[in-house]
Amino acid sequence: GGRRHEGVDMIGPIGTPIYAVVDGIAIPRTEELGGLTIHFPAADGNRYYYGHLDHYAKLGPVKAGDIIAYMGQTGNARFSVPHLHFEIHPGGGPAVDPYPTVRAHC
C-alpha cells in the first residue's frame, strides 16, 4: 500500500489483555488504519503505539503491567486476524524492532 509496516503484529484472540510495557500515559485515539489505538508517551522517554484494539481498560497515567486495552480487529485489521500492532519509538523518533523491549519487560 505504499507505506512501511513499522511494528510487530502479535496474533491472538479478541479480548486478550494488553499490558503497559513501562510506566506512562495511555492516550486513546481512533485512526483509519489502526482502529482503536493507544498512543503511549512513557516515563522511559520513549513513545509506544498499540493498534487494532477491541476496547480500552485503564487510560491516563498507568504503571508497567496495568491492563490498558484488549486485543481486537479494528481499523484495517478487520480484513485480517485479531492482533496487536505494537511499535516502539525511542525518544519519540523512528520506530525500531520492539522484540528486545518486549522480551525485557513482558
Side-chain angles (χ1 to χ4, degrees):
R3 61 184 171 78
R4 292 183 50 167
H5 190 264
E6 295 187 328
V8 63
D9 290 338
M10 300 179 212
I11 297 169
I14 290 176
T16 300
I18 305 298
Y19 300 91
V21 294
V22 294
D23 296 353
I25 302 171
I27 302 168
R29 293 196 182 152
T30 302
E31 303 170 350
E32 185 177 341
L33 293 176
L36 293 179
T37 68
I38 289 179
H39 288 252
F40 195 89
D44 65 4
N46 298 326
R47 185 174 52 83
Y48 299 84
Y49 176 87
Y50 300 78
H52 308 304
L53 308 171
D54 184 66
H55 60 284
Y56 301 116
K58 186 174 182 183
L59 298 172
V62 297
K63 296 287 186 185
D66 285 350
I67 298 173
I68 57 174
Y70 296 89
M71 187 175 297
Q73 202 171 4
T74 59
N76 66 357
R78 68 186 175 278
F79 303 115
S80 181
V81 297
H83 65 277
L84 168 66
H85 176 88
F86 182 71
E87 298 178 13
I88 298 175
H89 298 260
V96 298
D97 181 0
Y99 180 77
T101 299
V102 171
R103 183 168 171 84
H105 294 289
C106 298

